[in-house]
Every structure is written in structure tokens, then in C-alpha cells.
Amino acid sequence: MRLLVVEDESELAMLLRQALERAGFTVDNVAGQAAAEDHLAVADYAAIVLDLGLADGDGMTLLRLMRRQRAAVPVLILTARDTPEDRVAGLDAGADDYLVKPFHMPELVARVRALLRRPAAVLDVRLGFADVVLETDSRTVRVGEGVLALSPRETALLEQLLRRGGKVVPRESIEQNLYGFDTPTGPNALEVLVHRLRRRLQDAGAKAAIHTIRGVGYLLADGE
Ligand code: CA
């Protein structure tokens, strides 16, 4: 799942990115309101982490704008403004959660996960198809009884396929969820990744296999 982090302190932005990527998310970082608007215009985000004091404006302006345009994206405000009035203003402007700096990174990650659990249980903790299981909170993958060590991106791809187990996932949808704007990717990045994950599943003796539907996308199916 893809997140937008709007934060103008570059060191904190980097730490947020690392922690969220480790938790299995794809992260786009932007430092200001204008860049955030550009990203929101062209990409679908599962949630947004929003700093309020931005170099080119106030995050609250962006939040109000977003709520006028795309009502459903969960927003977590991350700010040093810590008065009760600030919190009320943030929540009233449409934020779903409010975390005050300094904060503990595991709490932020847990809160982002909680935000994503809300809309119709989009995020199951345990995803499975045939004998392949992914625990989305610990990012553990199992084939039968054995643990399969995958890279974070391989795991993210598997998650996309498991969420639609047995149905075709369009490649645009996978790419959109897997790669942020800053991720250097060649035109064949997804093919290479699919090839690798397919081999890993085969080598582990999985009963589920990745099938390519030419011109459309990929699906996870039973057997070969
Ligand atoms: Ca700031």
C-alpha cells in the first residue's frame, strides 16, 4: 500500500520513510504543500502522514483542500503543535488521527496501520492462498510449515497478489502500489520482480504459482 508523507524536515522524513517501508508500505516523500498537491493529483494513496508547519504553507490548508476533493483518504497529522485547541482544529478539519512530535516511531507505524484497518477491514492481518500465507503485521511469509525469506519488495508483490487470490491483478495497479515516484525503476522492473518471486515460490515447493496474463497483469493460482 502506498503512502504519502508530507514533511519538510528532511532527516525526519527519511526516518519516517525507512520505518514505514520496513513495515511493508511504499512511501512517497514530499516537503511542501505544492508538491503534495501534485502527487495527490496523479497517484492514489492509502493514507497520508501530514506535517503542519511546511516551508511553503500550512498543512491545514492542504488538509481542507483534500477533504474538499477526495474525502476518503485517511490523514494522520504529525506536528509539534500540541495544544488541545490545535488537536481539535486538526481533527475538525478532517484529520483521522493526530500525533504530537516528539513521538515514537513504532507508535506512528501502528497508528498508520490502525487507520488502514478502518475502511471495511481492507487490511487483514493474515492473507493466504493455497499453502502460501503472509502475516501482514510481521511481514512473515510461509509456504506450508516453512518460513520463506523474501525481500520487502517481493513480499509487497506477494501481498498484492494474495489480496486478489485467484483473480487477475492489473499490472498498473501493482506498479502503482509497489513503486513510489522516487523509486528508480526500469521498464522491466515488475517483470524481473515477478520472475524472482515466481522462482522463490517454486523453489519452496509452493502449491500456488504466479501466472502471467499477457497485456493485463498477473494472478496467483493453484498448481502450475
Ligand atoms: Ca515542519
Side-chain angles (χ1 to χ4, degrees), residues 114-125 127 163:
L115 279 185
L116 293 170
R117 264 199 304 273
R118 277 171 210 168
V122 178
L123 275 194
D124 290 327
V125 171
L127 298 170
R163 287 194 182 285

Side-chain angles (χ1 to χ4, degrees), residues 95-145:
D96 300 272
D97 199 359
Y98 196 104
L99 189 58
V100 173
K101 299 175 187 173
F103 62 97
H104 291 287
M105 199 57 85
E107 181 179 359
L108 175 109
V109 173
R111 283 180 181 234
V112 168
R113 257 196 228 112
L115 279 185
L116 293 170
R117 264 199 304 273
R118 277 171 210 168
V122 178
L123 275 194
D124 290 327
V125 171
R126 194 169 186 276
L127 298 170
F129 186 83
D131 57 352
V132 179
V133 169
L134 165 66
E135 312 278 350
T136 57
D137 48 356
S138 65
R139 312 304 291 169
T140 307
V141 176
R142 282 196 186 76
V143 174
E145 296 300 305

Side-chain angles (χ1 to χ4, degrees), residues 1-6 26-30 34-48 62 66 69-75 172-183:
M1 311 203 84
R2 190 167 171 181
L3 306 177
L4 181 64
V5 173
V6 188
T26 299
V27 177
D28 286 329
N29 270 129
V30 292
E37 283 177 43
D38 289 346
H39 278 63
L40 287 167
V42 294
D44 280 324
Y45 292 101
I48 296 164
L62 179 67
M66 278 169 39
Q69 291 172 350
R70 36 171 73 216
V73 190
V75 172
E172 294 77 32
S173 155
I174 298 177
E175 283 173 334
Q176 158 82 235
N177 275 293
L178 241 49
Y179 303 110
F181 286 120
D182 299 337
T183 316

Side-chain angles (χ1 to χ4, degrees), residues 6-9 12 31 51-55 78-80 101:
V6 188
E7 171 58 67
D8 62 346
E9 293 162 50
L12 176 57
D51 178 30
L52 292 186
L54 299 170
L78 185 61
T79 180
K101 299 175 187 173

